[in-house]
């Protein structure tokens, strides 16, 4: 169900790679799943009251496992003539409009898991910290293309000032 605040007529949204789902699930498994397994041993030794902590951690892992694909599929971006649009969120939605002329520089970042999956994140920096934006989960070739395109568009708009 689209609301008027997030509906941009005539815009074709580009999606990020579904590989981001695997990277985020692996991160959840490491940061919540491993501690859940580690709390099982004390629960076995101490008894019934200690089973609450591993149960809660397992429920958090299951909830995150279910939520992550929906979050990743909600991320999109669109390149317009004068602006870059970025949308994110399932429950708490956001639509960020970054005018090309306001961009100061563009970063491409990738941690070890993202590099292993062949992905990167494009980070946009503007004169206003509140309009900085990022697009995670882009394939490396797309991140490179987008970086070059945004840099070129930003320089062209600044030259016109």
């Amino acid at each position: 169900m689209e609301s008027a605040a997030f509906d941009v007529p005539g815009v074709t949204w580009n999606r990020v790679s579904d590989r981001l789902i695997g990277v985020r699930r692996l991160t959840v498994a490491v940061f919540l799943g491993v501690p859940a397994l580690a709390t099982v041993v004390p629960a076995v030794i101490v008894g019934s009251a200690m089973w609450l902590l591993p149960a809660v951690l397992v429920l958090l892992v299951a909830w995150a496992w279910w939520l992550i694909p929906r979050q990743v599929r909600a991320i999109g971006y669109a390149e317009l003539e004068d602006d870059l649009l970025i949308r994110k969120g399932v429950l708490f939605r956001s639509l960020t409009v970054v005018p090309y002329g306001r961009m100061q520089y563009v970063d491409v970042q990738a941690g070890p898991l993202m590099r292993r999956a062949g992905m990167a994140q494009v980070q946009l920096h503007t004169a206003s910290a509140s309009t900085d934006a990022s697009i995670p989960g882009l394939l490396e070739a797309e991140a490179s293309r987008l970086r070059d395109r945004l840099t070129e568009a930003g320089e062209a708009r600044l030259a016109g000032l």
Side-chain angles (χ1 to χ4, degrees):
M1 182 171 139
E2 283 290 314
S3 69
F6 299 98
D7 185 25
V8 183
V11 170
T12 302
W13 293 97
N14 300 305
R15 290 186 46 217
V16 298
S17 174
D18 281 341
R19 293 182 193 176
L20 184 58
I21 295 168
V23 170
R24 288 190 173 177
R25 280 181 167 174
L26 180 59
T27 303
V28 165
V30 169
F31 287 104
L32 288 177
V34 171
L37 290 175
T39 60
V40 168
V41 173
V44 168
I45 294 170
V46 173
S48 63
M50 286 295 293
W51 281 104
L52 185 60
L53 183 58
V56 167
L57 289 173
V58 166
L59 285 174
L60 285 173
V61 169
W63 177 72
W65 208 262
W66 173 81
L67 183 63
I68 287 170
R70 287 151 186 78
Q71 288 177 326
V72 169
R73 290 185 184 111
I75 301 170
Y77 65 98
E79 300 171 63
L80 303 181
E81 188 174 327
D82 295 319
D83 307 306
L84 178 71
L85 306 178
I86 302 170
R87 69 176 183 185
K88 295 180 182 178
V90 177
L91 184 59
F92 297 97
R93 300 172 68 187
S94 72
L95 174 65
T96 304
V97 180
V98 182
Y100 295 134
R102 299 285 313 241
M103 284 189 279
Q104 292 184 326
Y105 61 97
V106 180
D107 282 339
V108 176
Q109 305 165 348
L113 293 177
M114 293 283 276
R115 284 194 313 269
R116 177 86 174 155
M119 294 185 305
Q121 171 176 299
V122 172
Q123 177 78 38
L124 309 165
H125 300 275
T126 65
S128 169
S130 64
T131 56
D132 286 1
S134 64
I135 307 170
L138 296 173
L139 295 177
E140 288 177 344
E142 176 62 8
S144 177
R145 184 204 66 79
L146 189 58
R147 177 201 61 216
D148 294 344
R149 162 84 169 92
L150 294 174
T151 302
E152 182 181 297
E155 288 173 354
R157 298 304 185 280
L158 283 176
L161 293 177

